[in-house]
Amino acid sequence: MADLDARGVQARRDRALREELAADRGVKKALEKFEHRASGYGFRHRRSLLAEAIRLNKRMAPAVSEALADCRPALGVDTPVEVSLVPKPVYAAFLSRGRSGPLILGLSSRLLEEFTPAELRFVLGHELGHALFDHLGIPMPVTATIEDIGGTLVSRPVQLRLFVWCRAAEVSADRAGPLCAGDPEAAATAFFKMSGGLSRP
């Protein structure tokens, strides 16, 4: 797995739209506005997690630590990752990033209770795929909806393209998941569990 260039699984539409949208004037203005609002106050999402979730370490969650140790070299992601356990009764995972510091990975309590190690690696691979392909560089939906006094900074057609790009970005992340899972069947079951919320086979 480590010899494979994980960037090769990125969906063509994801790559093309990402480049196009990053060059759009309205998107650039929206990102500047977002950066201005976020600066000086710390990473609000991380602060809320520290208040509402449990930050995990190796001793508390060895299975997560082992899965991360497998996934990071498989995808070539060497950025530090901070993992939080979010008390939710649904299968859920997310990845976010502040202006500096580690990637913030959130995993729901139900997911950690019920996913096998290989299924967990699929989920981690999916989330780290977002970092690998720099999907976090255009945060959504805020980029499409952020406003100034004249209204949204991104035009309606570009807003629609941003949401189309989000779907393509999910395809890329779904392709990164199996590179970490190392088990096609486990990757498939994890995908359907995440999509449908069912715990039974």
Side-chain angles (χ1 to χ4, degrees):
M1 275 195 305
D3 295 331
L4 178 67
D5 181 5
R7 293 181 187 275
V9 302
Q10 184 178 17
R12 287 192 299 269
R13 193 172 202 185
D14 170 17
R15 185 183 300 111
L17 282 173
R18 175 70 174 77
E19 292 173 1
E20 173 191 320
L21 291 165
D24 180 79
R25 184 179 176 190
V27 170
K28 287 180 179 178
K29 285 185 176 180
L31 292 175
E32 287 173 9
K33 182 100 173 177
F34 175 73
E35 183 75 12
H36 178 70
R37 286 186 180 179
S39 65
Y41 299 101
F43 185 22
R44 184 174 60 187
H45 194 182
R46 184 169 185 243
R47 290 202 318 269
S48 68
L49 279 175
L50 291 172
E52 300 166 3
I54 299 171
R55 183 176 169 184
L56 299 178
N57 59 36
K58 288 182 180 181
R59 291 182 64 189
M60 295 167 69
V64 176
S65 179
E66 290 172 14
L68 271 175
D70 290 338
C71 286
R72 289 173 55 169
L75 295 181
V77 175
D78 55 8
T79 308
V81 180
E82 187 176 287
V83 184
S84 290
L85 174 64
V86 182
K88 285 188 176 181
V90 295
Y91 298 138
F94 63 84
L95 189 75
S96 56
R97 182 183 66 198
R99 299 176 70 236
S100 61
L103 295 168
I104 309 299
L105 173 67
L107 300 170
S108 71
S109 50
R110 186 180 179 210
L111 186 152
L112 279 189
E113 285 178 335
E114 299 185 5
F115 274 41
T116 67
E119 289 172 340
L120 177 61
R121 289 195 303 272
F122 170 85
V123 173
L124 298 185
H126 174 103
E127 297 305 330
L128 292 178
H130 287 305
L132 175 67
F133 303 126
D134 194 28
H135 297 152
L136 304 178
I138 303 180
M140 283 290 287
V142 65
T143 303
T145 57
I146 197 165
E147 299 179 339
D148 65 7
I149 195 168
T152 54
L153 294 168
V154 175
S155 69
R156 180 68 175 159
V158 175
Q159 285 179 340
L160 293 174
R161 291 187 76 73
L162 279 164
F163 284 102
V164 170
W165 167 66
C166 283
R167 293 305 309 146
E170 289 300 318
V171 171
S172 294
D174 284 337
R175 291 177 178 179
L179 297 180
C180 288
D183 179 340
E185 186 173 337
T189 58
F191 177 85
F192 284 106
K193 282 182 179 180
M194 293 295 290
S195 300
L198 297 174
S199 58
R200 294 181 181 178

